[in-house]
Amino acid sequence: MMRALILGGIADASLLAAEIARAGIDAVYSYGGRTRAPADQPLPTRIGGFGGASGLADTIRREGITHVIDATHPFAAEMSRNAVEACAETATPLIALERAPWAEVPGDNWIEVTDVHTAVDALPEAPANVFLAIGRQHIAPFVKRPQHAYTLRFVDPPEASLPFAAELIVSRGPFTLDGELAMMRTRGINWIVARNSGGDGAHAKIDAARMLGLPVIMISRPQLPARKRVESVTEVMQWLGHRTCLGA
Ligand code: 3Y8
Ligand code: NAP
């Protein structure tokens, strides 16, 4: 009897959960517990870590999980690595639903870097108005460049004080082109730091930067272990042996 575990926490995982619920497949949706009020899902939902790869393996055994779908964000590298390890240990089929990275198009002015530290080094010496669209967990390294005026965007209001003075926007997305253009214009943003998340929910800032002729320091994705990987909900449903109303 099939029982799927969806490692979720991002828009594509919510689309998958809707299809799985519609197909009547027995499944559990899992959030990491990063935000105060994650979006409701049409499936039984668990929130919080498993306790490393071994904790995930125990959950798979205890809950009788027969299939694991890693539909986490491309930067959720630890979760993805744990899923590969736990599924190998328990001989559980695993598939990753991972959207394609954004690609630079004519008019873009990207400076591609490998991590947040090289992103800091890529900023100009002269004071700038910098939009850090990389969330809450990884902003501390920017304390090294206090000459800039920073605008941050978080999902939830911060519990602790910020590591440096900054303008804070609290918004969970998805974001619109008009909204991003207005925000960048009113704040005189002239540099953007982003992660190559892919997908549509956070791409508007990349289009807005191109339209305004602004440079984007783009942090590329972490390396993940080899595992079966698809880019569409339809392919996941086919892997589960189900047709979807999404066509194909
Ligand atoms: C808890 C689930 C949706 C919409 C929300 C998508 C879009 C916004 C891209 C910017 C970039 C960022 C951030 C982002 C993206 C969508 C989608 C996507 C980037 C939620 C969600 C959870 C999280 C966790 C949160 C992180 C933070 C990262 C904000 C829910 C809303 C910046 C990543 O305060 C914190 O601790 C937040 C932590 C991980 C990165 C960070 O390090 O701060 N996402 N985001 C998931 C869980 O607990 O398992 O609350 O409902 C989901 C979304 N995140 O349709 O669901 O394409 O999915 N989220 C990045 O790309 O750099 C925003 O602001 O432009
Ligand atoms: P991460 O660094 O890869 O994972 C750190 C630990 O958080 C994991 O080892 C695991 O704890 C727990 N965890 C992460 N995702 C989980 C999930 N879906 N269910 C249960 N436990 C989970 O993860 P992250 O980058 O902080 O991302 C956390 C969540 O936010 C994920 O659901 C991800 O999809 C979502 N998200 C992340 C980003 C981002 O920029 N990273 C963007 C959008 C959404 P244990 O080791 O205890 O099992």
Side-chain angles (χ1 to χ4, degrees):
M1 186 64 185
M2 179 182 284
R3 185 153 203 244
L5 170 65
I6 302 172
L7 303 175
I10 194 164
D12 301 352
S14 301
L15 295 174
L16 173 64
E19 276 308 306
I20 283 187
R22 196 172 295 132
I25 298 171
D26 183 8
V28 177
Y29 190 96
S30 181
Y31 279 116
R34 281 277 177 283
T35 53
R36 288 187 189 170
D40 291 334
Q41 297 295 340
L43 295 171
T45 298
R46 64 173 300 292
I47 298 181
F50 297 98
S54 60
L56 176 54
D58 293 345
T59 301
I60 289 170
R61 293 187 190 99
R62 188 177 63 248
E63 299 292 328
I65 300 296
T66 61
H67 294 73
V68 174
I69 302 125
D70 176 359
T72 58
H73 187 277
F75 282 77
E78 190 179 349
M79 186 70 260
S80 294
R81 290 186 186 114
N82 289 353
V84 169
E85 191 178 328
C87 290
E89 183 186 322
T90 57
T92 308
L94 166 68
I95 193 168
L97 172 60
E98 184 184 78
R99 56 217 186 176
W102 297 320
E104 199 169 2
V105 300
D108 279 337
N109 174 10
W110 289 6
I111 299 150
E112 300 206 59
V113 297
T114 52
D115 58 31
V116 71
H117 301 285
T118 43
V120 174
D121 296 341
L123 284 171
E125 274 310 311
N129 288 335
V130 183
F131 174 37
L132 295 185
I134 55 171
R136 173 184 63 85
Q137 297 181 92
H138 305 287
I139 57 170
F142 289 90
V143 74
K144 276 173 51 182
R145 291 282 187 281
Q147 71 268 40
H148 303 306
Y150 290 104
T151 296
L152 311 179
R153 181 154 65 193
F154 292 177
V155 179
D156 295 317
E159 293 98 14
S161 57
L162 299 175
F164 46 80
E167 289 277 316
L168 177 63
I169 301 168
V170 178
S171 173
R172 67 170 44 231
F175 307 102
T176 64
L177 178 60
D178 289 346
E180 301 290 60
L181 285 168
M183 181 270 290
M184 292 180 191
R185 284 186 174 123
T186 51
R187 293 172 192 271
I189 299 293
N190 48 21
W191 280 81
I192 290 135
V193 181
R195 289 198 197 134
N196 198 326
S197 310
D200 305 328
H203 189 255
K205 62 179 176 283
I206 307 302
D207 293 330
R210 183 183 324 109
M211 290 170 73
L212 298 174
L214 302 182
V216 176
I217 297 174
M218 183 65 79
I219 303 172
S220 47
R221 295 178 173 187
Q223 289 302 314
L224 292 177
R227 74 263 208 248
K228 183 173 180 52
R229 172 191 175 275
V230 296
E231 293 184 7
S232 73
V233 168
T234 299
E235 289 167 287
V236 175
M237 297 303 287
Q238 287 166 346
W239 180 74
L240 292 170
H242 283 260
R243 287 276 168 271
T244 72
C245 57
L246 295 171

